[in-house]
Amino acid sequence: MSIVDTPERRQLRELTRAFVTREVLPHLDDWERAGEVPRALHATAAKLGLLGIGFPESVGGSGGDLLDSIIVTEELIRSGGSSGLVAALFTHGIALPHMVAAAGARTGGSLGGRLGGTASPADDSLIERYVRPTLSGTMIGALAITEPDGGSDVAGIRTTARRDGDHYVVNGSKTYITSGHRADFVTTAVCTDFPGSGELTLLVIDKGSPGFTVGRRLEKLGWHCSDTAELSFADVRVPVANRIGAENTGFLAIMQHFAAERLSLATQAYATAQRCVELAVRWCRDRETFGRPLASRQLIRHRLAEMHTRAEAARSYVHDVAARVAAGEPVVTEVAMAKNMAVAACDHVVDQALQLHGGFGYLRDAEVERHYRDARILGIGGGTTEIMNEIIAKGMGL
Protein backbone atom coordinates (compact mmCIF):
# COMPACT_ATOMS: atom_id res chain seq x y z
CA MET A 1 0.00 0.00 0.00
CA SER A 2 1.38 3.39 -1.00
CA ILE A 3 1.69 6.18 1.56
CA VAL A 4 -0.94 8.15 -0.37
CA ASP A 5 -3.29 5.19 -0.77
CA THR A 6 -4.38 4.46 2.78
CA PRO A 7 -8.04 3.73 3.61
CA GLU A 8 -8.35 7.18 5.20
CA ARG A 9 -6.94 8.92 2.14
CA ARG A 10 -9.19 6.93 -0.16
CA GLN A 11 -12.12 8.27 1.85
CA LEU A 12 -10.69 11.77 1.52
CA ARG A 13 -10.58 11.30 -2.26
CA GLU A 14 -14.19 10.14 -2.29
CA LEU A 15 -15.27 13.13 -0.20
CA THR A 16 -13.46 15.53 -2.54
CA ARG A 17 -14.89 13.86 -5.64
CA ALA A 18 -18.43 14.09 -4.26
CA PHE A 19 -17.89 17.77 -3.41
CA VAL A 20 -16.72 18.55 -6.94
CA THR A 21 -19.54 16.60 -8.57
CA ARG A 22 -22.26 18.19 -6.45
CA GLU A 23 -20.98 21.70 -5.73
CA VAL A 24 -18.57 22.59 -8.54
CA LEU A 25 -19.29 21.00 -11.91
CA PRO A 26 -22.81 22.45 -12.37
CA HIS A 27 -21.43 25.98 -11.86
CA LEU A 28 -17.79 26.11 -12.95
CA ASP A 29 -18.44 27.54 -16.40
CA ASP A 30 -20.49 30.36 -14.86
CA TRP A 31 -17.71 31.09 -12.33
CA GLU A 32 -15.19 31.21 -15.16
CA ARG A 33 -17.24 33.90 -16.86
CA ALA A 34 -17.95 35.77 -13.62
CA GLY A 35 -14.23 35.87 -12.79
CA GLU A 36 -14.58 34.47 -9.26
CA VAL A 37 -16.08 31.72 -7.14
CA PRO A 38 -18.85 32.56 -4.63
CA ARG A 39 -18.05 33.01 -0.96
CA ALA A 40 -20.64 30.35 -0.17
CA LEU A 41 -18.36 27.73 -1.73
CA HIS A 42 -15.81 28.38 1.02
CA ALA A 43 -18.43 27.78 3.70
CA THR A 44 -19.55 24.54 2.04
CA ALA A 45 -15.99 23.26 1.74
CA ALA A 46 -15.38 24.18 5.38
CA LYS A 47 -18.43 22.24 6.60
CA LEU A 48 -17.13 19.15 4.83
CA GLY A 49 -13.72 19.59 6.44
CA LEU A 50 -11.94 20.15 3.12
CA LEU A 51 -10.99 23.77 3.75
CA GLY A 52 -9.12 22.88 6.93
CA ILE A 53 -7.11 19.93 5.61
CA GLY A 54 -3.44 20.31 6.51
CA PHE A 55 -4.11 22.71 9.38
CA PRO A 56 -4.04 21.49 13.01
CA GLU A 57 -7.31 21.13 14.89
CA SER A 58 -5.91 23.44 17.57
CA VAL A 59 -6.34 26.39 15.18
CA GLY A 60 -9.66 25.30 13.71
CA GLY A 61 -8.35 23.02 10.99
CA SER A 62 -9.24 19.44 10.09
CA GLY A 63 -5.82 17.97 10.83
CA GLY A 64 -3.79 15.98 8.36
CA ASP A 65 -0.52 16.94 6.72
CA LEU A 66 0.97 18.04 3.43
CA LEU A 67 0.15 14.71 1.79
CA ASP A 68 -3.52 15.06 2.70
CA SER A 69 -3.57 18.53 1.16
CA ILE A 70 -2.03 17.08 -1.99
CA ILE A 71 -4.72 14.39 -2.12
CA VAL A 72 -7.47 17.04 -2.03
CA THR A 73 -5.80 19.17 -4.71
CA GLU A 74 -5.19 16.20 -6.97
CA GLU A 75 -8.70 14.82 -6.68
CA LEU A 76 -10.34 18.21 -7.12
CA ILE A 77 -8.72 18.55 -10.54
CA ARG A 78 -9.07 14.93 -11.61
CA SER A 79 -12.79 15.06 -10.79
CA GLY A 80 -13.34 17.85 -13.30
CA GLY A 81 -12.30 20.96 -11.38
CA SER A 82 -9.29 23.03 -12.37
CA SER A 83 -6.11 24.55 -11.04
CA GLY A 84 -7.88 27.92 -11.20
CA LEU A 85 -10.49 26.59 -8.81
CA VAL A 86 -7.73 25.37 -6.47
CA ALA A 87 -6.20 28.86 -6.52
CA ALA A 88 -9.52 30.54 -5.72
CA LEU A 89 -10.80 28.18 -3.04
CA PHE A 90 -7.54 27.38 -1.26
CA THR A 91 -5.79 30.76 -1.26
CA HIS A 92 -5.70 30.44 2.52
CA GLY A 93 -3.06 27.77 1.95
CA ILE A 94 -0.59 30.60 1.35
CA ALA A 95 -2.27 33.28 3.49
CA LEU A 96 -2.46 31.45 6.83
CA PRO A 97 0.57 29.18 7.40
CA HIS A 98 2.83 32.01 8.55
CA MET A 99 0.34 32.89 11.32
CA VAL A 100 -0.01 29.27 12.38
CA ALA A 101 3.76 28.83 12.47
CA ALA A 102 4.28 32.00 14.51
CA ALA A 103 1.72 30.81 17.08
CA GLY A 104 3.13 27.27 17.04
CA ALA A 105 4.76 27.54 20.49
CA ARG A 106 1.28 27.73 22.01
CA THR A 107 -0.92 25.91 19.50
CA GLY A 108 1.35 23.00 18.69
CA GLY A 109 0.97 23.78 14.99
CA SER A 110 3.11 21.79 12.59
CA LEU A 111 3.07 23.89 9.42
CA GLY A 112 6.53 25.35 9.75
CA GLY A 113 9.23 26.66 12.02
CA ARG A 114 8.34 28.97 14.85
CA LEU A 115 9.20 32.53 14.08
CA GLY A 116 10.70 34.98 16.49
CA GLY A 117 10.96 32.60 19.44
CA THR A 118 8.09 32.02 21.84
CA ALA A 119 4.66 32.89 20.51
CA SER A 120 3.20 36.13 21.82
CA PRO A 121 -0.39 36.93 22.81
CA ALA A 122 -0.54 38.89 19.53
CA ASP A 123 0.21 35.70 17.59
CA ASP A 124 -2.57 33.91 19.45
CA SER A 125 -4.88 36.82 18.64
CA LEU A 126 -4.19 36.38 14.91
CA ILE A 127 -5.33 32.77 15.18
CA GLU A 128 -8.65 33.84 16.68
CA ARG A 129 -9.21 36.86 14.45
CA TYR A 130 -8.11 35.45 11.10
CA VAL A 131 -7.17 31.76 11.04
CA ARG A 132 -10.27 30.24 12.65
CA PRO A 133 -12.78 32.38 10.70
CA THR A 134 -11.00 31.60 7.43
CA LEU A 135 -10.92 27.85 8.05
CA SER A 136 -14.62 28.00 8.94
CA GLY A 137 -15.34 29.62 5.57
CA THR A 138 -16.52 32.98 6.91
CA MET A 139 -13.42 34.98 5.87
CA ILE A 140 -11.13 34.93 2.85
CA GLY A 141 -7.43 35.71 3.03
CA ALA A 142 -4.77 36.50 0.45
CA LEU A 143 -0.98 36.71 0.38
CA ALA A 144 0.70 39.84 -1.02
CA ILE A 145 4.39 39.53 -1.83
CA THR A 146 4.91 40.36 -5.53
CA GLU A 147 5.36 44.00 -6.53
CA PRO A 148 5.05 45.68 -9.93
CA ASP A 149 8.81 46.03 -10.39
CA GLY A 150 9.93 43.13 -8.20
CA GLY A 151 8.96 39.80 -9.76
CA SER A 152 10.82 36.96 -8.09
CA ASP A 153 13.12 39.26 -6.10
CA VAL A 154 11.52 38.80 -2.68
CA ALA A 155 14.42 40.42 -0.84
CA GLY A 156 14.00 43.52 -2.99
CA ILE A 157 10.50 44.35 -1.72
CA ARG A 158 9.96 48.12 -1.60
CA THR A 159 6.63 48.40 0.22
CA THR A 160 7.62 50.02 3.51
CA ALA A 161 6.26 49.89 7.05
CA ARG A 162 7.41 52.65 9.40
CA ARG A 163 6.80 52.15 13.12
CA ASP A 164 4.68 54.89 14.70
CA GLY A 165 3.79 54.02 18.28
CA ASP A 166 1.41 51.07 18.35
CA HIS A 167 1.05 51.08 14.56
CA TYR A 168 3.00 50.64 11.37
CA VAL A 169 2.43 53.11 8.55
CA VAL A 170 2.49 51.18 5.27
CA ASN A 171 3.19 52.62 1.81
CA GLY A 172 3.64 50.76 -1.45
CA SER A 173 1.90 48.49 -3.93
CA LYS A 174 1.44 44.82 -4.79
CA THR A 175 0.31 43.04 -7.93
CA TYR A 176 -0.84 39.63 -9.22
CA ILE A 177 -2.55 39.01 -5.87
CA THR A 178 -4.70 35.88 -6.00
CA SER A 179 -8.13 36.42 -4.39
CA GLY A 180 -7.16 40.06 -3.89
CA HIS A 181 -10.64 41.31 -4.76
CA ARG A 182 -12.56 38.95 -2.49
CA ALA A 183 -10.09 38.87 0.42
CA ASP A 184 -11.13 40.24 3.79
CA PHE A 185 -7.47 40.52 4.82
CA VAL A 186 -4.09 40.30 3.17
CA THR A 187 -0.94 38.81 4.68
CA THR A 188 1.49 41.39 3.36
CA ALA A 189 5.28 41.41 3.07
CA VAL A 190 6.69 44.83 3.96
CA CYS A 191 10.16 46.28 4.41
CA THR A 192 10.81 47.62 7.89
CA ASP A 193 14.08 49.29 6.84
CA PHE A 194 14.89 51.19 3.66
CA PRO A 195 13.25 49.88 0.45
CA GLY A 196 15.02 46.83 -0.94
CA SER A 197 17.05 46.20 2.23
CA GLY A 198 15.69 42.68 2.63
CA GLU A 199 14.58 43.38 6.21
CA LEU A 200 11.07 42.01 5.79
CA THR A 201 8.14 41.72 8.16
CA LEU A 202 4.70 40.17 7.61
CA LEU A 203 1.65 42.24 8.53
CA VAL A 204 -2.03 41.30 8.31
CA ILE A 205 -3.83 44.23 6.69
CA ASP A 206 -7.62 44.41 6.80
CA LYS A 207 -9.62 45.26 3.71
CA GLY A 208 -11.30 48.60 4.21
CA SER A 209 -8.41 50.12 6.16
CA PRO A 210 -8.09 53.82 5.28
CA GLY A 211 -5.55 54.19 2.48
CA PHE A 212 -5.77 50.53 1.40
CA THR A 213 -7.07 50.40 -2.17
CA VAL A 214 -7.97 47.30 -4.16
CA GLY A 215 -7.33 48.19 -7.78
CA ARG A 216 -8.66 46.85 -11.03
CA ARG A 217 -9.45 43.19 -11.55
CA LEU A 218 -6.64 41.80 -13.68
CA GLU A 219 -7.77 39.92 -16.77
CA LYS A 220 -5.67 36.81 -17.39
CA LEU A 221 -4.96 34.10 -19.94
CA GLY A 222 -6.16 31.43 -17.54
CA TRP A 223 -7.39 30.85 -13.99
CA HIS A 224 -10.52 32.81 -14.96
CA CYS A 225 -12.51 31.76 -11.88
CA SER A 226 -9.73 33.01 -9.61
CA ASP A 227 -9.86 36.78 -9.09
CA THR A 228 -6.53 38.61 -9.25
CA ALA A 229 -5.92 42.18 -8.09
CA GLU A 230 -3.53 45.06 -7.75
CA LEU A 231 -3.26 46.52 -4.24
CA SER A 232 -1.96 49.88 -3.08
CA PHE A 233 -1.16 51.28 0.36
CA ALA A 234 -1.03 54.99 1.10
CA ASP A 235 -0.20 55.75 4.75
CA VAL A 236 -2.21 52.71 5.89
CA ARG A 237 -2.05 52.39 9.68
CA VAL A 238 -1.73 48.77 10.74
CA PRO A 239 -1.72 47.82 14.44
CA VAL A 240 1.51 46.27 15.71
CA ALA A 241 -0.77 43.50 17.01
CA ASN A 242 -1.24 42.51 13.35
CA ARG A 243 2.43 41.65 12.93
CA ILE A 244 3.20 37.97 12.35
CA GLY A 245 6.07 36.83 14.56
CA ALA A 246 8.96 39.12 15.39
CA GLU A 247 9.99 42.09 13.29
CA ASN A 248 12.35 41.34 10.40
CA THR A 249 11.54 37.60 10.33
CA GLY A 250 9.36 37.90 7.24
CA PHE A 251 11.93 36.73 4.69
CA LEU A 252 12.60 33.54 6.66
CA ALA A 253 8.86 32.94 7.07
CA ILE A 254 8.27 33.30 3.33
CA MET A 255 11.14 30.97 2.45
CA GLN A 256 9.99 28.32 4.95
CA HIS A 257 6.60 28.04 3.30
CA PHE A 258 7.71 28.07 -0.32
CA ALA A 259 8.12 24.28 -0.28
CA ALA A 260 4.43 23.66 0.40
CA GLU A 261 3.35 26.25 -2.18
CA ARG A 262 5.65 24.82 -4.84
CA LEU A 263 4.50 21.27 -4.16
CA SER A 264 0.89 22.42 -4.42
CA LEU A 265 1.65 23.89 -7.85
CA ALA A 266 3.48 20.70 -8.82
CA THR A 267 0.41 18.73 -7.76
CA GLN A 268 -1.84 20.97 -9.82
CA ALA A 269 0.47 20.36 -12.78
CA TYR A 270 0.57 16.56 -12.69
CA ALA A 271 -3.13 16.33 -11.79
CA THR A 272 -3.99 18.54 -14.76
CA ALA A 273 -1.87 16.26 -16.92
CA GLN A 274 -3.64 13.18 -15.58
CA ARG A 275 -7.05 14.72 -16.19
CA CYS A 276 -6.08 15.66 -19.75
CA VAL A 277 -4.88 12.11 -20.41
CA GLU A 278 -8.29 10.83 -19.26
CA LEU A 279 -10.11 13.36 -21.46
CA ALA A 280 -7.94 12.51 -24.46
CA VAL A 281 -8.40 8.75 -24.04
CA ARG A 282 -12.17 9.19 -23.83
CA TRP A 283 -12.20 11.42 -26.90
CA CYS A 284 -9.98 9.12 -28.95
CA ARG A 285 -12.16 6.12 -28.16
CA ASP A 286 -15.35 7.92 -29.18
CA ARG A 287 -14.13 10.04 -32.09
CA GLU A 288 -14.10 8.38 -35.50
CA THR A 289 -12.16 9.53 -38.54
CA PHE A 290 -12.22 7.81 -41.90
CA GLY A 291 -14.50 5.14 -40.46
CA ARG A 292 -12.30 4.19 -37.51
CA PRO A 293 -11.92 5.36 -33.90
CA LEU A 294 -8.86 7.53 -33.35
CA ALA A 295 -7.67 5.10 -30.68
CA SER A 296 -7.43 2.32 -33.27
CA ARG A 297 -4.42 4.01 -34.84
CA GLN A 298 -0.99 3.10 -33.51
CA LEU A 299 0.28 6.67 -33.72
CA ILE A 300 -2.54 7.85 -31.44
CA ARG A 301 -2.16 4.96 -29.00
CA HIS A 302 1.58 5.61 -28.64
CA ARG A 303 1.01 9.32 -28.13
CA LEU A 304 -1.50 8.58 -25.37
CA ALA A 305 0.93 6.08 -23.82
CA GLU A 306 3.68 8.70 -23.72
CA MET A 307 1.35 11.28 -22.20
CA HIS A 308 0.25 8.81 -19.52
CA THR A 309 3.85 7.89 -18.72
CA ARG A 310 4.90 11.50 -18.21
CA ALA A 311 1.91 12.29 -15.99
CA GLU A 312 2.36 9.20 -13.81
CA ALA A 313 6.13 9.69 -13.46
CA ALA A 314 5.59 13.27 -12.31
CA ARG A 315 2.94 12.18 -9.83
CA SER A 316 5.22 9.54 -8.35
CA TYR A 317 8.14 11.92 -7.90
CA VAL A 318 6.03 14.71 -6.40
CA HIS A 319 4.54 12.26 -3.90
CA ASP A 320 8.00 11.04 -2.93
CA VAL A 321 9.32 14.57 -2.37
CA ALA A 322 6.17 15.61 -0.50
CA ALA A 323 6.55 12.65 1.87
CA ARG A 324 10.11 13.76 2.60
CA VAL A 325 9.01 17.34 3.24
CA ALA A 326 6.24 16.10 5.56
CA ALA A 327 8.89 14.10 7.43
CA GLY A 328 10.92 17.25 7.99
CA GLU A 329 13.73 16.60 5.51
CA PRO A 330 15.47 19.68 4.03
CA VAL A 331 14.87 18.91 0.36
CA VAL A 332 14.88 22.35 -1.24
CA THR A 333 16.57 21.12 -4.41
CA GLU A 334 14.20 18.17 -4.77
CA VAL A 335 11.16 20.44 -4.37
CA ALA A 336 12.43 22.61 -7.20
CA MET A 337 13.01 19.53 -9.36
CA ALA A 338 9.54 18.19 -8.55
CA LYS A 339 7.91 21.46 -9.60
CA ASN A 340 9.84 21.70 -12.86
CA MET A 341 9.30 18.03 -13.69
CA ALA A 342 5.56 18.23 -13.09
CA VAL A 343 5.19 21.50 -15.01
CA ALA A 344 7.13 20.09 -17.98
CA ALA A 345 4.92 16.99 -18.00
CA CYS A 346 1.80 19.15 -17.81
CA ASP A 347 2.91 21.48 -20.59
CA HIS A 348 3.52 18.54 -22.91
CA VAL A 349 0.36 16.63 -22.04
CA VAL A 350 -2.11 19.53 -22.26
CA ASP A 351 -0.69 20.54 -25.62
CA GLN A 352 -1.00 17.00 -26.99
CA ALA A 353 -4.46 16.55 -25.48
CA LEU A 354 -5.79 19.66 -27.15
CA GLN A 355 -4.20 18.62 -30.45
CA LEU A 356 -5.92 15.24 -30.25
CA HIS A 357 -9.26 16.98 -29.68
CA GLY A 358 -8.81 18.86 -32.95
CA GLY A 359 -11.05 21.86 -33.59
CA PHE A 360 -13.33 21.01 -30.67
CA GLY A 361 -10.39 21.34 -28.28
CA TYR A 362 -10.07 25.00 -29.24
CA LEU A 363 -13.62 25.81 -28.11
CA ARG A 364 -14.61 27.11 -24.68
CA ASP A 365 -17.07 24.18 -24.51
CA ALA A 366 -14.13 21.75 -24.26
CA GLU A 367 -12.80 21.08 -20.77
CA VAL A 368 -9.34 20.51 -22.23
CA GLU A 369 -9.31 24.12 -23.46
CA ARG A 370 -9.61 25.37 -19.88
CA HIS A 371 -6.75 23.16 -18.71
CA TYR A 372 -4.61 24.34 -21.63
CA ARG A 373 -5.03 27.98 -20.53
CA ASP A 374 -4.76 27.31 -16.81
CA ALA A 375 -1.58 25.26 -17.13
CA ARG A 376 0.53 28.15 -18.39
CA ILE A 377 0.76 29.89 -15.00
CA LEU A 378 2.15 26.84 -13.21
CA GLY A 379 5.67 27.41 -14.49
CA ILE A 380 5.51 31.04 -13.32
CA GLY A 381 3.75 31.06 -9.93
CA GLY A 382 5.58 30.13 -6.74
CA GLY A 383 8.94 30.66 -8.42
CA THR A 384 9.52 30.49 -12.16
CA THR A 385 11.04 27.52 -13.96
CA GLU A 386 14.22 29.56 -14.30
CA ILE A 387 14.36 30.28 -10.56
CA MET A 388 13.82 26.57 -9.87
CA ASN A 389 16.69 25.72 -12.20
CA GLU A 390 18.94 28.13 -10.32
CA ILE A 391 18.03 26.41 -7.05
CA ILE A 392 18.75 23.03 -8.61
CA ALA A 393 22.10 24.25 -9.96
CA LYS A 394 23.09 25.47 -6.49
CA GLY A 395 22.11 22.08 -5.09
CA MET A 396 24.51 20.55 -7.60
CA GLY A 397 27.30 22.75 -6.27
CA LEU A 398 27.39 24.93 -9.38
Side-chain angles (χ1 to χ4, degrees):
M1 181 183 296
S2 134
I3 192 171
V4 295
D5 191 31
T6 63
E8 293 80 7
R9 285 177 173 149
R10 284 197 292 271
Q11 291 178 354
L12 184 58
R13 286 186 185 279
E14 292 170 3
L15 176 64
T16 304
R17 192 179 309 118
F19 167 74
V20 172
T21 300
R22 184 176 61 251
E23 304 293 342
V24 172
L25 296 186
H27 312 292
L28 187 54
D29 286 341
D30 292 336
W31 299 339
E32 287 274 303
R33 287 171 171 78
E36 62 182 37
V37 302
R39 298 180 71 95
L41 189 68
H42 293 256
T44 301
K47 289 178 182 178
L48 294 173
L50 294 175
L51 214 61
I53 290 292
F55 288 87
E57 295 179 13
S58 58
V59 300
S62 306
D65 59 15
L66 177 62
L67 288 170
D68 295 299
S69 298
I70 283 175
I71 294 296
V72 172
T73 297
E74 177 184 318
E75 198 61 38
L76 189 148
I77 293 173
R78 292 195 65 180
S79 299
S82 66
S83 59
L85 177 66
V86 173
L89 185 57
F90 293 97
T91 315
H92 64 283
I94 56 175
L96 299 183
H98 316 86
M99 297 186 224
V100 176
R106 291 174 184 246
T107 65
S110 59
L111 292 183
R114 296 168 184 173
L115 306 176
T118 303
S120 69
D123 293 321
D124 289 346
S125 173
L126 295 179
I127 298 296
E128 299 303 320
R129 290 189 288 135
Y130 298 106
V131 176
R132 290 187 187 277
T134 302
L135 295 179
S136 71
T138 59
M139 292 185 78
I140 295 174
L143 175 67
I145 296 177
T146 304
E147 298 184 347
D149 58 354
S152 298
D153 184 11
V154 175
I157 281 174
R158 304 184 66 81
T159 296
T160 59
R162 174 178 55 83
R163 183 74 179 261
D164 180 24
D166 292 333
H167 289 78
Y168 288 98
V169 180
V170 178
N171 285 279
S173 60
K174 302 289 182 178
T175 193
Y176 313 141
I177 307 307
T178 300
S179 296
H181 269 272
R182 295 180 306 134
D184 300 295
F185 65 89
V186 182
T187 300
T188 308
V190 298
C191 180
T192 40
D193 202 337
F194 61 89
S197 68
E199 296 291 348
L200 305 184
T201 298
L202 290 175
L203 299 177
V204 183
I205 304 181
D206 291 309
K207 186 176 185 179
S209 299
F212 177 15
T213 302
V214 178
R216 64 189 178 94
R217 185 187 299 270
L218 300 178
E219 296 185 359
K220 312 182 296 298
L221 169 68
W223 278 14
H224 286 178
C225 68
S226 173
D227 62 293
T228 308
E230 294 176 328
L231 310 178
S232 64
F233 308 95
D235 291 331
V236 179
R237 295 185 66 83
V238 181
V240 172
N242 279 30
R243 186 182 68 210
I244 300 174
E247 194 169 279
N248 298 332
T249 61
F251 186 82
L252 174 61
I254 293 167
M255 293 301 110
Q256 283 181 329
H257 294 286
F258 261 146
E261 181 181 0
R262 287 167 180 166
L263 286 173
S264 174
L265 290 164
T267 301
Q268 293 171 49
Y270 79 68
T272 297
Q274 287 182 304
R275 178 64 177 176
C276 286
V277 170
E278 294 165 2
L279 293 171
V281 167
R282 186 185 310 161
W283 174 264
C284 290
R285 282 175 172 162
D286 295 340
R287 175 69 167 171
E288 290 192 1
T289 59
F290 304 100
R292 294 168 52 191
L294 279 175
S296 70
R297 307 176 190 280
Q298 185 184 66
L299 174 67
I300 301 299
R301 292 199 305 272
H302 286 193
R303 185 174 297 183
L304 291 169
E306 291 170 358
M307 292 161 60
H308 179 58
T309 299
R310 293 194 188 205
E312 290 299 314
R315 177 180 186 264
S316 179
Y317 187 61
V318 172
H319 283 184
D320 177 73
V321 173
R324 296 173 67 184
V325 170
E329 293 186 39
V331 287
V332 176
T333 301
E334 289 81 357
V335 168
M337 291 193 294
K339 183 174 186 288
N340 276 5
M341 179 183 182
V343 167
C346 183
D347 287 346
H348 174 80
V349 170
V350 297
D351 181 75
Q352 293 300 309
L354 193 147
Q355 184 73 18
L356 288 170
H357 277 75
F360 176 65
Y362 199 67
L363 301 181
R364 286 291 295 269
D365 290 340
E367 182 185 333
V368 71
E369 183 266 352
R370 178 188 304 137
H371 294 307
Y372 184 89
R373 289 185 288 101
D374 285 356
R376 190 59 188 88
I377 189 61
L378 301 178
I380 298 173
T384 65
T385 297
E386 293 75 17
I387 293 292
M388 296 301 99
N389 278 334
E390 188 64 18
I391 292 171
I392 295 165
K394 288 181 181 178
M396 296 168 65
L398 299 175

